[in-house]
Amino acid sequence: MLLSQINNREENIVSQQSLFESTYDSKKNLLPFDGEVYYLGKIFTEKQAEDYFLSLSESVPWKADEVEIWGKHIVTRRKVAWFSDLGIEYSYSRTTKKSEIWNAELLAIKRIVEELSGRTFNSCLLNYYHDGEDGVSWHSDSESLFHKQSSIASVSFGAERVFQFKHKRESAKTSLSLENGSLLLMQGETQTHWKHALPKSKKVKTPRINLTFRLVKMDLP
């Protein structure tokens, strides 16, 4: 995709954000306490979201995720990729992801997300879910690599999926559907007090790409 096309698309998307503001209350906190989650709804049109999905499907160097659970090494069907400004490695579940170099599409999406959220990000974890048979179990993104209480911006392309939250100590739970081309913000104490998950679903037959933009600490050794 030509850089001029990406820049024009970026300008159009930002100018079109007002089309979605009346549908979703982006100032409404979806969590009852101990955290902040805001859903901005669709920030891309269906055509824009489809274009980004196809472009990322082809341009990102996807690799099967590898995790260690209860001492057992597991290679998942779900695929991942890790990008950052600094070439910083991302380690979790006793595995390490080496950083890729930002491509034009990801930088364009990043600029849009930063403008709409009022936050700055220097890294992004991408997940490719083939269908509803791929999911992610309960967890929180609380690794020491990330700034405590910093925001995580989640962008979804492709199949609509249910996203769940549950409190780590209380019985409180909540969930929502993440639409194609939508933006979700998690911030404040969310990762400290809440877990989130993307449950599997046999009803979902098409793929989804999720981008989570994050802020990595600059003073790591």
Side-chain angles (χ1 to χ4, degrees):
M1 185 178 297
L2 296 176
L3 182 59
S4 60
Q5 292 177 307
I6 294 174
N7 289 336
N8 289 336
R9 179 194 292 175
E10 184 178 344
E11 292 174 359
N12 291 336
I13 290 169
V14 173
S15 65
Q16 291 168 355
Q17 173 61 13
S18 60
L19 295 176
F20 305 109
E21 289 177 347
S22 60
T23 305
Y24 299 99
D25 183 1
S26 60
K27 296 181 180 179
K28 180 182 179 181
N29 184 4
L30 301 182
L31 299 181
F33 51 84
D34 286 347
E36 299 174 55
V37 172
Y38 302 98
Y39 186 56
L40 279 68
K42 295 183 178 183
I43 63 170
F44 301 97
T45 66
E46 289 295 323
K47 180 63 168 61
Q48 291 161 347
E50 179 183 354
D51 287 347
Y52 273 126
F53 178 88
L54 293 175
S55 179
L56 293 173
S57 296
E58 298 174 355
S59 64
V60 171
W62 300 104
K63 297 179 181 178
D65 197 14
E66 299 182 40
V67 298
E68 186 171 316
I69 301 177
W70 301 108
K72 184 178 181 181
H73 183 77
I74 298 175
V75 179
T76 69
R77 182 170 178 257
R78 171 176 49 88
K79 296 184 181 298
V80 299
W82 169 250
F83 290 77
S84 76
D85 290 350
L86 311 171
I88 289 179
E89 296 180 343
Y90 177 23
S91 297
Y92 63 92
S93 296
R94 298 182 182 274
T95 62
T96 299
K97 305 289 184 293
K98 292 186 176 181
S99 177
E100 303 289 344
I101 299 174
W102 293 106
N103 61 33
E105 287 83 3
L106 283 174
L107 285 175
I109 298 169
K110 177 175 173 289
R111 285 192 292 267
I112 294 165
V113 169
E114 288 178 334
E115 179 163 348
L116 295 177
S117 66
R119 302 291 191 271
T120 300
F121 304 100
N122 60 15
S123 56
C124 183
L125 179 66
L126 291 82
N127 283 271
Y128 186 97
Y129 303 87
H130 297 84
D131 50 37
E133 292 298 316
D134 290 344
V136 177
S137 59
W138 290 109
H139 70 285
S140 57
D141 297 316
S142 54
E143 294 90 346
S144 59
L145 176 68
F146 306 117
H147 284 279
K148 189 176 182 180
Q149 297 189 26
S150 63
S151 298
I152 296 178
S154 174
V155 178
S156 298
F157 295 120
E160 183 172 324
R161 296 289 296 268
V162 172
F163 195 62
Q164 300 175 329
F165 292 90
K166 73 173 181 179
H167 198 274
K168 293 182 179 180
R169 295 174 302 281
E170 307 295 335
S171 60
K173 294 182 179 180
T174 190
S175 65
L176 73 159
S177 293
L178 300 179
E179 301 164 291
N180 180 27
S182 65
L183 173 61
L184 178 81
L185 298 175
M186 298 182 285
Q187 57 195 48
E189 296 281 351
T190 301
Q191 305 305 322
T192 301
H193 300 292
W194 293 80
K195 291 184 177 183
H196 53 271
L198 187 83
K200 296 181 180 181
S201 173
K202 293 183 179 180
K203 295 180 180 179
V204 178
K205 304 298 183 182
T206 54
R208 170 182 183 257
I209 291 176
N210 177 240
L211 289 65
T212 49
F213 292 94
R214 303 147 184 263
L215 184 62
V216 171
K217 293 179 179 177
M218 303 285 289
D219 55 353
L220 291 173

